Amino acid sequence: MSGPKDAIALAEKVLTLLAEGSFSATYKYALFIALLDLCLEQTSKRGAPPSVLTTRQLAEKTIELYWPHAIPFEGQAVLRQGGTHQGSQAEILRAIAGFRGRHAGSSTELIFRARSRDEKGFEALVRLVEWKLIEMPIPRLQVLGGEEERFLYEYAWTRDIQRSEVSAYQRRERSTFDNRLLLRPRVAQWFVQLNGVLRPLIQREWARMVAAMNGLPELRLEEFLFGASRISLEAVRSPLRELQSGRCFYCDGQLGERSEVDHFIPWSRHPDNGLDNLVVAHDRCNNAKRDFLAAAEHVERWAQRSRSLAGDLEDISQQRDWARDARKTLGVARAMYVRLPEDARLWQREKTFEQAHKERIVEALAA
Ligand SMILES: [Zn+2]
């Protein structure tokens, strides 16, 4: 079988898959976004995207993606994302909502806090979601016109895989189950390149399906399902501000009352509330930066902060009970910047953009 010849051919195929849906739940959207995210996050120090992903990684990522969906919408009920009749629910989402209900006090509860409160329960959840993905969405994702065409990834199990085999592997007992997805040549690289285009398309399709299942207008749903605004970053604003000696991360001006926490890698490109991705800036600088990628000088300062102030960031993470994964956050930045086209322009300040000094950036992120 010959796979797609370039990134555009891959994108075309992905769009066909999204449209063809033989799915009765939103799993294929989650699986696609999980693949995009993992290709970004697993990018190596030298900028090489991964060639292998595991079902375990996909399961954890899937839980992360559904986590904000697993609370009542506008105080009513958790929105339906699967099941064949009124009142039924996609199994994965039901399991996540159950775990959230048991461990999360508020609707903005962060996943890793709930996780640290019940490690065992979370492990059981991951195993269930992993099994569900193995059983159905992973083998079904690449089915076009009734036939499976493995143009994204290969895997070694068949559709009659038994849960006992997977359970044995999950308990690290003897098992024939192989948890790897072997990505086709260049697929990871293309996913990273196409991330900015595919992600919003997939999210829109996802919101559309949820809207249709629940008889709601799509517009209200996109923000609920994928927006950044529901998690308050207030808890880390003042310690981060202190770390920046009260100065704006971007313009170095003194911060007044109106300072905001900004996602250095914009939320719309890759949602990441990890501490290393957060900086404090003037509201006007934050508004000017919007969803743009920041210029070389900012990247250098930012990468430097993760390194030289790692101890302080770790302290904040402990004290404020806030997730931090520098390796992952920097991996995403590396993936995005390394694949920038030569003539890309990056945000510097206000309305000024500059040419991407890729070598400088790559060097700053590789250190
Ligand atoms: Zn500023």
Side-chain angles (χ1 to χ4, degrees):
M1 184 212 73
S2 67
K5 289 188 178 50
D6 57 28
I8 304 298
L10 180 82
E12 291 284 354
K13 268 202 129 123
V14 169
L15 293 183
T16 317
L17 279 184
L18 288 176
E20 268 213 9
S22 60
F23 277 70
S24 59
T26 54
Y27 295 156
K28 74 172 161 185
Y29 307 115
L31 188 49
F32 260 124
I33 293 190
L35 289 167
L36 290 177
D37 274 346
L38 288 171
C39 286
L40 285 166
E41 290 169 11
Q42 301 292 322
T43 292
S44 79
K45 276 205 161 183
R46 279 166 299 164
S51 55
V52 177
L53 300 174
T54 66
T55 52
R56 169 87 195 189
Q57 290 172 324
L58 285 166
E60 292 196 13
K61 186 46 89 174
T62 300
I63 295 172
E64 245 178 73
L65 292 171
Y66 278 115
W67 186 258
H69 306 185
I71 54 160
F73 174 68
E74 296 183 346
Q76 302 286 307
V78 175
L79 294 171
R80 274 189 65 211
Q81 298 210 29
T84 46
H85 56 277
Q86 198 65 38
S88 61
Q89 177 62 285
E91 273 186 88
I92 288 179
L93 183 55
R94 184 164 16 146
I96 297 169
F99 180 83
R100 261 202 94 145
R102 285 193 296 281
H103 297 288
S106 79
S107 64
T108 55
E109 184 67 295
L110 299 162
I111 188 166
F112 89 102
R113 283 192 195 156
R115 177 179 196 159
S116 62
R117 222 168 278 150
D118 182 8
E119 297 272 1
K120 256 176 107 178
F122 193 81
E123 179 61 27
L125 178 64
V126 173
R127 288 180 183 187
L128 173 73
V129 172
E130 185 180 23
W131 161 245
K132 285 287 143 200
L133 292 175
I134 291 164
E135 187 187 28
M136 208 275 282
I138 293 173
R140 204 185 269 191
L141 187 72
Q142 306 176 99
V143 174
L144 267 168
E147 263 184 56
E148 188 178 19
E149 195 187 314
R150 299 186 181 181
F151 69 99
L152 297 173
Y153 52 80
E154 269 295 344
Y155 56 95
W157 67 93
T158 54
R159 284 211 190 185
D160 54 9
I161 174 91
Q162 296 298 307
R163 184 159 189 185
S164 54
E165 266 305 292
V166 174
S167 299
Y169 134 79
Q170 289 175 329
R171 291 193 304 263
R172 296 189 174 80
E173 289 163 8
R174 227 158 60 112
S175 163
T176 53
F177 178 72
D178 180 347
N179 71 350
R180 294 172 306 162
L181 272 69
L182 310 175
L183 297 171
R184 289 259 165 214
R186 295 186 300 282
V187 161
Q189 176 193 327
W190 290 335
F191 269 166
V192 170
Q193 278 171 338
L194 292 166
N195 175 63
V197 185
L198 284 181
R199 176 181 300 270
L201 280 171
I202 297 169
Q203 289 183 353
R204 188 146 328 131
E205 291 294 316
W206 189 341
R208 187 175 297 169
M209 188 172 188
V210 176
M213 274 187 190
N214 295 274
L216 288 165
E218 193 182 317
L219 271 177
R220 264 161 62 202
L221 285 186
E222 247 189 287
E223 177 59 28
F224 172 78
L225 297 173
F226 308 113
S229 59
R230 280 170 50 225
I231 291 168
S232 171
L233 307 174
E234 206 43 44
V236 290
R237 185 164 68 119
S238 86
L240 283 175
R241 201 182 141 124
E242 221 168 280
L243 203 61
Q244 296 172 205
S245 312
R247 298 193 164 271
C248 172
F249 186 81
Y250 295 110
C251 74
D252 200 37
Q254 196 75 44
L255 287 168
E257 275 301 291
R258 287 146 71 92
S259 62
E260 291 175 353
V261 179
D262 178 54
H263 293 99
F264 188 79
I265 297 295
W267 181 269
S268 63
R269 293 175 188 249
H270 182 266
D272 177 9
N273 275 324
L275 203 53
D276 291 78
N277 196 37
L278 303 178
V279 299
V280 183
H282 290 116
D283 57 345
R284 60 172 188 277
C285 289
N286 188 20
N287 287 333
K289 178 170 168 278
R290 304 201 338 226
D291 290 341
F292 299 117
L293 287 175
E297 54 177 292
H298 302 307
V299 179
E300 287 171 342
R301 213 171 335 105
W302 179 69
Q304 179 63 28
R305 185 191 76 164
S306 275
R307 278 193 297 275
S308 60
L309 299 181
D312 301 76
L313 288 165
E314 199 52 48
D315 287 345
I316 299 174
S317 155
Q318 298 289 330
Q319 282 158 15
R320 305 284 158 145
D321 200 9
W322 199 272
R324 163 161 204 257
D325 189 340
R327 192 195 57 81
K328 192 163 101 178
T329 298
L330 287 162
V332 170
R334 217 171 279 132
M336 287 194 179
Y337 279 102
V338 166
R339 311 260 163 252
L340 279 179
E342 285 306 327
D343 57 352
R345 302 186 70 78
L346 302 173
W347 180 82
Q348 201 173 25
R349 66 187 123 80
E350 291 162 20
K351 289 187 174 164
T352 311
F353 291 77
E354 64 161 24
Q355 183 202 334
H357 298 289
K358 251 172 87 172
E359 276 178 31
R360 263 175 74 189
I361 294 173
V362 170
E363 197 179 321
L365 292 171

